[in-house]
Amino acid sequence: MSVTSPDRTGAKAAAPARRLRYRLRIAASEPTTLIGLLMAALFAYLIVVPIVSLLFDAVQVQLGDQRRTGAEVGSFTWYYLERTFGSRVAHHLFWGPLVNTLTVALGAIVLAMAVGGTPARLLARTDMFGRRWFATALIVPYMLPAWTFALAWTTLFKNRTVGGQAGWLETLGFAPPDWLAYGRVPVTIILALHYAPFVILLFGNALRRFDSQLEDSARILGAGRLTVMRQVVLPLMRPALMSAMVLIFAKCLGEFGVPYVLGLPVAFDTLATSLYQNIASRQSGVAAVLAGAIMLIGVITLTIDAWLMREARRFVTVGSKGSMDRLSPLGGWRWGATGFAALMFALSVGLPLLTLALSTVMKVPGRFALDNFTLDYWIGTGLNTVALQTGILLSPDLWNAAWNSLRIVGIASLTSGLLGLLVGYVVVRTPFRPLGTFLRQVTFLPYLVPGIAFATAYLSLFAVPRGPIPALYGTWVILMLALIADQMPYASRAGIAAMTQLGKDPEEAAQVAGAGWLRRMVSIVIPIQKGALTTGVLLPFISGIKGLSLFVVLAVPSTDVLTTFSLRLVDYHYTQAANAVVLIIAALAYFGALLGQKLTRSNLAEGLGG
Amino acid sequence: MPRINLMGVRKSYGGGGPNAVEALDLEIADGEFMCLLGPSGCGKTTTLRMIAGLEHLSDGEIRVGARVVDSVGEGVFVPPEKRQMGLVFQSYALWPHLTIERNTDFGLRLRNVPRAEREARVTRVMKTLGIEAYRDRYPSQLSGGQQQRVALARMLAVNPEVLLLDEPLSNLDAALRLEMRAELKRLHREFGTTIVFVTHDQWEAMTLATTIAVMSQGRLQQVGSPNEIYDRPANRFVAQFVGNPPINMIDLAAGTPLAVSARRFLGERSPDAGAVGLRPEAIRLGGEAGDFAGPAEVTGVLPTGGSWIVELESDGAKLFLTTHQPPEVGPGERVRFAVRPEALHVFDRDGSRSAVADAAFAHGRMN
Ligand SMILES: Nc1ncnc2c1ncn2[C@@H]1O[C@H](COP(=O)(O)OP(=O)(O)O)[C@@H](O)[C@H]1O
Ligand SMILES: [Mg+2]
């Protein structure tokens, strides 16, 4: 193709081979594209390959199953699919847990809406006392690990169905029935309390942006309060509500700790716990099928969410300025509203934490006599228990687990934060667009896969040596890699946003001034992005510290982190010690979140995705 | 010896759109103050960024001095950091985390200039630009005009042989713009730097440039001194883009009485003519024998402070004339307009300037 106009002298159009040389020269002049390609390979290996490997496991004969399937290891089989979905045990493996998962998730959604809707409205639109304080206080349940509440619940409601120490209510003379102590009811309630902050945040934000003139106009036209709510507010709020619901559903789907602690005693299984049990009993084929099913439901859910978000963009009228911050006066109800919020805080944060805290200093649960209190479980020595000879703070196991937690989660968060920024950099800077697109999409992939399914995928890939890579199962490396991959959606989203906002100009200015790539990174890009990087490291760190589902699949006793350690203590019925560890985790997560809020001066809500 | 040489440069951003820059041949001489002038979206920034090495060519070659910095044909590419140029961005692109002083001495530090010399040079540049008082402030604490000076100072500190400026004045208010224009001209004299200056503002180009390159839709339209561009526009686009109020263009194909009379006036002297342009200041009331003239009615008189714009209507066609004498006519009056034949800009039907007409009419143009 000739591009020179005939009336001008100029270079002739270059031949394709020459043109390629020019492009290569450009690519070689700075490492952006090379780094991008390396990262693409890395993420393909850390994210895509495990998932593919998992899906293969679902249809290939696994080690030890040769006799049952009548085929060689690695050959194609329908056995696991058939066993999971169509056999006599299918109900036990999949359908029952599926129904439980769905009912618990739906119940939690409805309850969270009911619990969170009122405070959302109060916080966003009224002159209730202490609005600012409650705006933070009421999202605390989300900063704490969900199974903190599960442990508090068992501490209170436990009955003789399982061994170990008695629950408080039983000690006080009232033995709770099984339906109240374990299974569907408590799991639903706890998940609802844990995710109610979602409703408060998402619904509250939408309400805040909602133009109250819309309401006023309807009132002036003669509509009553209720009619306005039904015909104006709710329809406009629907996208935000739906989005909150879908997110809660997606979270519940992968939730492991709560149903594990509260479901096990009455054999109440969700998909996550069923998956865990299959892994524990080395049914890797069925586990792969279950993980695939969870993944599929996750993908469907988040596709619906993406679609809802697109729909929501049509309501652009929401958010005209001027009337945004107008609060409706509550008059005499001000104290009532404040009391309501306080009660909610007491029930969702105060009571559980207090219960846990007290339980760690009482010998017999629920007996409030002075001689029953002790600090032995924290700092005692010479205790007569098999596994723990000392109080938890003196136990090397705790410090070992804490060190593992900090080390693994710390390195993983730092790595994923830096990788996220690099992804952002490459996406914004590479002249080779498909590379940017691939990086953006591949790092988003783990978002669609609940942690426990993702961990299963890692198990599937790294349980045995593959090529130059030794078997990583049982080492802390696998935990770290899985955690990095699991955090990439948040890290890369933050990195891309930060780099897009920064734009190319500051870096190009340095480039023209004579700075090479490394120099630009060190003196310009990273210093400017310090804040974004801090957030990008801290938020994954918090969610990693309190994370359980990823570790429970991949950790072994020698690589125990705080969460798996406390779960092990639960299994041993060392209630006091388990609760103490959970309190430590909760404190770490909470203060980490506060620190994050201080450092970034932003609302955590946006970033706390994990 | 040209300082910068663009040869057959083409740039396509892909995605099936038209080329952002098309078959561009341009020489920028040593010490020149070259303005790239054209409407928004015509490819000025793209051209500038290609010279800086920030944008890659789809075809062609760029040389700076004897050195090839870009050549698609030869597979040569010199990265921006090795081109030793200065570039001032439209957005200023100051580094928000560095003080004004550190912004300014960044390039000198990179070049490992000894501390004493570094400080001396930075101080001198800051003084020249009047930003010395803000040494220890951060960019966000400065006004737009001050930031703009820092952006300039940052580049001048390393004393580049080529300074590229992308609409550096467009974010400033009118008074500051005037001041900075004078300052740029002074800097050009003082530092002797080759400057390539991008603007869509013809006044800026006229007042600053030693040479103007007019672009439209990715193509170079004309290169010349400001006077050449104004007095001998190479085509209809340049004639219409440069000049305020704009040139009165009579489209001969329009068939209006004015077009018919213009056609008749040109007669055999320019058979291919497609349009005739009359600069507003070339139109007079009255006139003499041999002029292109016609009847008109005054429809408005607009004083612009020191000069006047008179709005005429001739057989339905609007004509603007400018004058520095107070016009002695008022709206509604019938007058006669006239233009000296050598002041006519005749364009052929393909839009280019008619050489035949230029030769046929006397050369003693009005200034
Ligand atoms: N990064 C880009 N990607 C795609 N198209 C671009 C890009 N930058 C500029 N263009 C297009 O190239 C053309 C020339 O742009 P530009 O050089 O910025 O014009 P100017 O500076 O004269 O206003 C425009 O049509 C613009 O839309
Ligand atoms: Mg531009």
Side-chain angles (χ1 to χ4, degrees), chain A residues 3 8-9 13-14 18-19 21-22 25-26 29 505-506 508-515 519-520 523-524 527-528, chain B residues 10 23 25 49 56-59 70-77 80-81 85 91 93 95-97 110-111 154 220:
Chain A
V3 289
R8 293 183 204 279
T9 58
R18 296 266 178 100
R19 202 181 292 269
R21 225 172 77 193
Y22 178 67
R25 199 51 68 82
I26 290 166
S29 74
D505 287 1
E508 286 184 344
Q511 192 171 10
V512 174
R519 185 54 183 258
R520 298 197 304 268
S523 332
I524 304 292
I528 294 182
Chain B
R10 178 177 72 90
D25 294 308
R49 287 172 57 83
H56 311 132
L57 279 58
S58 303
D59 251 315
D70 262 298
S71 170
V72 179
E74 304 301 317
V76 176
F77 174 74
E81 59 265 33
M85 293 180 177
S91 67
W95 299 302
H97 63 299
L110 275 180
R111 287 162 180 72
R154 180 170 72 177
L220 189 62

Side-chain angles (χ1 to χ4, degrees), chain B residues 39-46 49 90 166-167 198-200:
Chain B
S40 157
C42 71
K44 308 180 296 288
T45 297
T46 304
R49 287 172 57 83
Q90 189 169 1
D166 190 0
E167 311 218 14
V198 160
T199 181
H200 65 267

Side-chain angles (χ1 to χ4, degrees), chain A residues 65-87:
Chain A
D65 290 341
Q66 293 97 316
R67 202 170 45 77
R68 271 194 278 179
T69 55
E72 287 300 299
V73 171
S75 58
F76 179 83
T77 177
W78 290 108
Y79 176 77
Y80 302 116
L81 287 164
E82 204 267 322
R83 186 171 163 80
T84 312
F85 298 127
S87 73

Side-chain angles (χ1 to χ4, degrees), chain A residues 582-594:
Chain A
V582 168
L583 279 176
I584 293 173
I585 298 169
L588 280 176
Y590 177 72
F591 289 111
L594 276 197

Side-chain angles (χ1 to χ4, degrees), chain B residues 245-256:
Chain B
I247 196 167
N248 300 287
M249 195 62 80
I250 303 165
D251 196 333
L252 297 184
T256 60

